[in-house]
Amino acid sequence: MATSMTIRRRSGFTLVEVALAVAVGLIILGGAITGYNAVKDNASSSMARRKVNIGTSAVVEYGAANFGRYPTSVAGAAGGEFSAMWVRKNPEEYNVSPWGGQTSDTTDGVLEIAPITTGTDAASAPDETTLLATDGTQAANMIYANLTNTGYVRLKQLSNPDAYLVKGFVLSIHDRHGQPWFHLTTNK
């Protein structure tokens, strides 16, 4: 009599198959997180540019109302005319960082620089190293300085390192790491 041989089949996945599925899932998840962070950074950078543009409009409006005189800037923690105007014009977001949380200056979100004496031509213009030291504690603060005369100031913004900006005032924002001149504007 013949014995019947039963072939037993296993159901389920092997350890190698499970490990491969987990590895593929982690790769897809990593790509999604990277993409999300890039979109989030781009949106935050756009918000930073918007804040600078709002500040620029406020300064130009102030100048028009005051016979061409822009708000003064005061070095140090004690705010000047721009700081007071910034808080008044942006009550919901004056010290809010575009990258999340608050700016490093929770009082008004502004770092004012002493008025800048400009150069008479591009060669004699002061550059950013004479104006402001890089300070990682200044993340997301607005930077404001008025110019004492019409002339040249050599400032390089991070997004356009060849820019020469002149006339009236300089308004910028520190990036989320505290690097100055992330986005820079002036009255051209």
Side-chain angles (χ1 to χ4, degrees):
M1 174 168 168
T3 57
S4 68
M5 290 185 78
T6 324
I7 300 176
R8 223 167 96 183
R9 296 190 154 230
R10 288 187 185 169
S11 61
F13 299 103
T14 66
L15 187 56
V16 172
E17 290 169 332
V18 171
L20 185 61
V22 168
V24 168
L26 289 175
I27 290 170
I28 290 171
L29 183 62
I33 290 171
T34 302
Y36 171 76
N37 286 338
V39 168
K40 186 177 165 188
D41 283 348
N42 194 21
S44 296
S45 297
S46 294
M47 288 174 57
R49 285 183 187 89
R50 182 184 65 80
K51 282 183 87 164
V52 171
N53 289 337
I54 289 170
T56 301
S57 296
V59 171
V60 169
E61 181 182 309
Y62 182 99
N66 290 284
F67 308 103
R69 185 184 74 76
Y70 294 115
T72 58
S73 58
V74 178
E81 291 174 321
F82 177 78
S83 296
M85 179 179 61
W86 182 245
V87 171
R88 199 172 48 253
K89 293 241 179 210
N90 299 289
E92 303 87 31
E93 64 174 37
Y94 62 87
N95 65 353
V96 175
S97 168
W99 295 277
Q102 289 187 314
T103 63
S104 62
D105 183 342
T106 57
T107 303
D108 55 27
V110 176
L111 171 64
E112 291 194 12
I113 301 172
I116 300 169
T117 302
T118 60
T120 55
D121 57 21
S124 66
D127 64 12
E128 68 269 5
T129 57
T130 61
L131 303 176
L132 181 68
T134 300
D135 184 354
T137 65
Q138 295 296 335
N141 282 340
M142 297 289 286
I143 305 168
Y144 176 75
N146 65 333
L147 307 179
T148 57
N149 53 352
T150 302
Y152 291 86
V153 177
R154 226 180 7 230
L155 299 175
K156 297 179 210 166
Q157 62 182 334
L158 296 180
S159 59
N160 180 10
D162 297 327
Y164 281 88
L165 300 170
V166 297
K167 291 186 184 173
F169 64 92
V170 174
L171 186 61
S172 181
I173 192 167
H174 280 281
D175 73 1
R176 67 182 174 187
H177 305 294
Q179 296 295 314
W181 322 122
F182 170 72
H183 182 65
L184 186 77
T185 188
T186 187
N187 187 29
K188 297 178 182 180

